[in-house]
Amino acid sequence: MRRMGRNAVISAVVIVCLIFVSACGSNGGGNSGSSDGTAGNAGEKPQGSGSAGKGGPVTIKLTFTSGEISKEQIAEFEKANPGIKIQQVDADYNKLMTMVAAGSAPDIIRIYAATELPNYVMKGLAMDLTPRFAASSVFKEDDYLPVVNLYKYDTASGKQGIGDIYGFPKDWSQDFTLFYNKQIFQKAGIPLPSSTEPMTWTELLDLAKKLTKKQGDKVSQYGLVYYNGNTALNQDLLLLQLAQEGSSIYSDDFGKADLNKPEVKNLMNYWLDAVKSDVGPNPLNQDTTFSGDLFVNGSAAMMISGYWFTGLLRGDEKAKTHLNDFGMAPAPVMEGGTRMSPTGAAAGGIIYSKTKHPDEAWKVFEWFLGGKPADDRAKSGWGLPATKSRLALLPNTTEFDKSTLAFVNNELKYADKFIGYNPYISAQAAASLFDKHFSPVYFGKSTVDEAASKITNDMNVLIQEGKDVLGLQ
């Protein structure tokens, strides 16, 4: 599913919240779930928001949006489980941290595992669900797709993808694959991209430049748009490109950041070139139109996005009459690098470590993420399921459905590697540093070298603050 914008800046309120969470969290800063994962922190008073009247039903609050869990689904669950009520609440990151500090956090928290799980685990917000998964008759480990591993975290090594399991994906996509408009390519006399062999990032930018059209200073057709914001430098794209090269902006233990490496600066110059070339909306050529709308309207030749976008195309009045005009191509790869096609999100749920009602929360969790709602989501085509068995439920009737499904099944071979986000700073905070220090480069008021140095310095301050909050050296 589409992610929210990432322009939030860590505020003093959030910092206070983090300190509060640490103070109320686990001993030594590790995950604060109980050893059996069934009762929150041992020796600590649960602080979740679920409520229960005396002898009445328990209310389980969750932060999945109204577009993700319908009133009809909630009514169906409550009819089958009269002792549990479900309440949907809206909470972005900052609001959630405030709720945590106030002792009113939801019982089930929606997160993006790719970018957020390590941070939530290290803050002691996520309950260790390993024993519950092991005992579940709903979740079967041999049916999991590799994306489920994003909800695993080893607090001892700081590695995501291994260790205890803290949640489960609702749905996901390989978010760096490409959609393209066949009509635009054919009018330009350019061969359609391969559906099985990836372009390099250099080839992609060259192609995007060819497909960008201007009328005077105004762009009339973008060559490449990005589903999650500007076609410009950001942490997600940078970490993916570096991972394909076997590098990162972070040290192996995530204790330090270094953006002064030559390979990082090369990629900063790559995105500076993309912005200067106006291949997509950017800080110099601001366009607030959602990139998906630009693509559907024929104002963009290519878009970086995942399978979830096929759901939008099937439902869009302008697009659904000519779905065969759209194709998909693999995620780009760095020259000589390792082919990877990971998710950038993996939206799903965790259970708040201090919920007052862990058993009821697990019942809702198991139903929503492993029961009939998971079947319904797969059938809708608005994302990939987290289990192998549900792949058969994806739309497969039209020529468009069959071609995109064949593409996905091939691309899944490259979905077992993940992007390494730092557990000591939030994705929002990291994004704000890129905006603060690299935007002046686009306007000629700073240089790549200066920006790399400033982001490195500020990021290392935040990393150390994050470690200090957790009581780590």
Side-chain angles (χ1 to χ4, degrees):
M1 295 289 287
R2 183 186 174 192
R3 287 186 287 175
M4 299 172 63
R6 292 182 168 174
N7 57 355
V9 179
I10 271 194
S11 64
V13 172
V14 174
I15 293 172
V16 170
C17 292
L18 299 184
I19 294 172
F20 179 92
V21 170
S22 176
C24 297
S26 63
N27 297 329
N31 173 61
S32 59
S34 65
S35 59
D36 65 359
T38 60
N41 288 356
E44 294 185 9
K45 183 180 179 180
Q47 299 179 8
S49 64
S51 61
K54 294 180 179 179
V58 168
T59 297
I60 297 299
K61 295 183 179 180
L62 49 74
T63 58
F64 288 101
T65 68
S66 57
E68 294 173 315
I69 181 167
S70 68
K71 292 181 179 177
E72 291 76 15
Q73 287 175 319
I74 292 174
E76 186 176 12
F77 175 87
E78 291 178 345
K79 183 178 181 181
N81 300 273
I84 304 175
K85 295 289 186 183
I86 296 175
Q87 181 180 351
Q88 185 269 330
V89 296
D90 295 323
D92 61 16
Y93 180 81
N94 285 355
K95 182 178 179 181
L96 177 64
M97 292 301 111
T98 302
M99 295 169 75
V100 169
S104 59
D107 305 279
I108 299 175
I109 301 172
R110 179 190 194 276
I111 69 165
Y112 296 116
T115 59
E116 296 179 330
L117 183 86
N119 196 254
Y120 277 73
V121 172
M122 294 303 292
K123 289 174 183 170
L125 298 177
M127 178 182 288
D128 180 1
L129 300 175
T130 305
R132 292 186 181 273
F133 274 102
S136 175
S137 61
V138 173
F139 296 107
K140 303 294 183 184
E141 188 166 3
D142 60 359
D143 194 30
Y144 296 168
L145 287 169
V147 69
V148 175
N149 291 330
L150 277 172
Y151 280 85
K152 295 180 179 177
Y153 190 75
D154 181 44
T155 55
S157 66
K159 300 291 185 183
Q160 190 174 10
I162 59 174
D164 296 326
I165 184 166
Y166 293 88
F168 202 78
K170 174 181 65 66
D171 50 31
W172 67 290
S173 290
Q174 293 163 285
D175 293 306
F176 304 98
T177 54
L178 300 170
F179 282 81
Y180 60 89
N181 185 314
K182 296 177 184 177
Q183 295 284 344
I184 292 177
F185 273 74
Q186 290 165 353
K187 287 179 182 176
I190 296 175
L192 300 179
S194 169
S195 63
T196 56
E197 298 302 318
M199 287 182 270
T200 66
W201 285 97
T202 298
E203 291 170 338
L204 175 63
L205 183 54
D206 289 343
L207 186 55
K209 290 177 181 177
K210 291 178 182 176
L211 292 165
T212 298
K213 291 184 177 179
K214 289 186 175 181
Q215 293 179 338
D217 292 334
K218 185 176 177 58
V219 177
S220 58
Q221 176 181 290
Y222 294 113
L224 178 68
V225 296
Y226 177 44
Y227 83 100
N228 201 25
N230 284 330
T231 308
L233 180 70
N234 64 57
Q235 181 178 228
D236 298 343
L237 294 166
L238 181 61
L239 287 179
L240 170 62
Q241 292 174 308
L242 289 170
Q244 291 175 339
E245 291 185 314
S247 184
S248 175
I249 61 176
Y250 301 118
S251 58
D252 288 343
D253 64 357
F254 295 106
K256 291 288 184 182
D258 182 5
L259 284 79
N260 295 303
K261 300 175 183 176
E263 63 268 31
V264 180
K265 291 183 179 178
N266 286 341
L267 289 169
M268 287 179 161
N269 279 304
Y270 173 94
W271 289 109
L272 177 59
D273 184 14
V275 168
K276 294 285 188 182
S277 302
D278 277 334
V279 299
N282 62 72
L284 298 179
N285 179 23
Q286 296 187 20
D287 189 334
T288 59
T289 308
F290 169 47
S291 57
D293 290 336
L294 291 170
F295 183 77
V296 168
N297 293 336
S299 299
M302 297 183 288
M303 182 173 71
I304 299 174
S305 188
Y307 175 81
W308 68 267
F309 192 69
T310 66
L312 186 149
L313 291 174
R314 291 188 195 92
D316 186 271
E317 292 299 324
K318 295 179 181 176
K320 67 182 183 182
T321 58
H322 58 104
L323 290 174
N324 292 334
D325 286 343
F326 306 114
M328 293 189 72
V333 63
M334 292 297 293
E335 289 85 347
T338 300
R339 183 173 176 181
M340 296 171 56
S341 189
T343 179
I350 60 174
I351 295 179
Y352 181 44
S353 60
K354 299 179 183 66
T355 176
K356 296 176 182 176
H357 307 289
D359 292 336
E360 291 83 358
W362 173 255
K363 196 170 188 67
V364 175
F365 179 99
E366 199 173 41
W367 162 78
F368 184 63
L369 298 172
K372 183 175 179 298
D375 292 345
D376 295 340
R377 286 192 295 273
K379 292 174 183 175
S380 76
W382 272 89
L384 298 173
T387 55
K388 301 170 191 172
S389 58
R390 288 195 173 93
L391 289 172
L393 300 179
L394 292 170
N396 192 24
T397 55
T398 68
E399 182 179 342
F400 174 74
D401 293 338
K402 292 176 182 177
S403 65
T404 54
L405 186 56
F407 167 80
V408 162
N409 282 324
N410 183 67
E411 195 74 356
L412 281 173
K413 292 184 290 187
Y414 309 98
D416 59 344
K417 296 181 176 63
F418 308 126
I419 300 172
Y421 290 89
N422 196 302
Y424 304 119
I425 58 174
S426 68
Q428 292 87 350
S432 72
L433 293 182
F434 280 91
D435 289 341
K436 177 181 178 182
H437 294 305
F438 206 75
S439 290
V441 179
Y442 298 134
F443 291 91
K445 296 182 178 179
S446 183
T447 66
V448 166
D449 286 350
E450 289 171 348
S453 179
K454 289 179 179 177
I455 297 173
T456 297
N457 292 338
D458 285 4
M459 194 167 276
N460 280 327
V461 170
L462 289 182
I463 289 172
Q464 188 57 53
E465 287 179 353
K467 295 177 70 174
D468 289 345
V469 166
L470 297 169
L472 303 175
Q473 295 297 317

